[in-house]
Amino acid sequence: MQNQPYATTLIVDDHPRNRALLRALCDAMGLESDEACDGLDAIDKLASGRIGLMFLDINMPRLDGFGVLEWLRTAPQGLRRPHVVMVTTDDRSETRGRCFALGCDGFLTKPFRIEEVRNAAEFGFGERSMRA
């Protein structure tokens, strides 16, 4: 998965331990990654245009994951939209439905398995969707 254009993975979560875990998994897969502690920080980093995949928590201070998804829908024209995989403890069908309605590409429930993160990265950089 290395040497992909726009190959930076953005990990967005307000809990440092969750970010560290996902970053270690990305490192093990050879993925360049960056971190954001909330939705506003994520939007600042998305402006670089280098994000190809984003693991996005829902419940965060300042701006939650839903807010980031809404921002992406109205993002400046020309900004490359990353594949977005929600990562949350909330596995209710209403939450999943809202995430997909707002444009997410995948959904992982914490605690997740390593294989799920690997599959999400392959889907994200393979230009496919995890909706099926």
Side-chain angles (χ1 to χ4, degrees), residues 63-82:
L63 183 66
D64 64 14
F66 296 124
V68 174
L69 288 173
E70 290 170 359
W71 180 86
L72 281 170
R73 292 176 80 172
T74 61
Q77 200 161 38
L79 180 71
R80 183 177 190 278
R81 186 198 175 283

Side-chain angles (χ1 to χ4, degrees), residues 109-123:
T109 304
K110 299 175 192 173
F112 47 78
R113 296 187 325 265
I114 293 170
E115 303 84 42
E116 292 174 315
V117 174
R118 184 181 320 278
N119 289 341
E122 289 173 0
F123 277 109

Side-chain angles (χ1 to χ4, degrees), residues 48-60:
S48 74
R50 293 227 0 102
I51 306 301
L53 173 66
M54 179 168 50
F55 289 105
L56 179 62
D57 187 23
I58 293 176
N59 298 309
M60 298 179 290

Side-chain angles (χ1 to χ4, degrees), residues 97-112:
R98 182 174 177 197
C99 289
F100 284 113
L102 287 171
C104 86
D105 302 294
F107 195 97
L108 299 179
T109 304
K110 299 175 192 173
F112 47 78

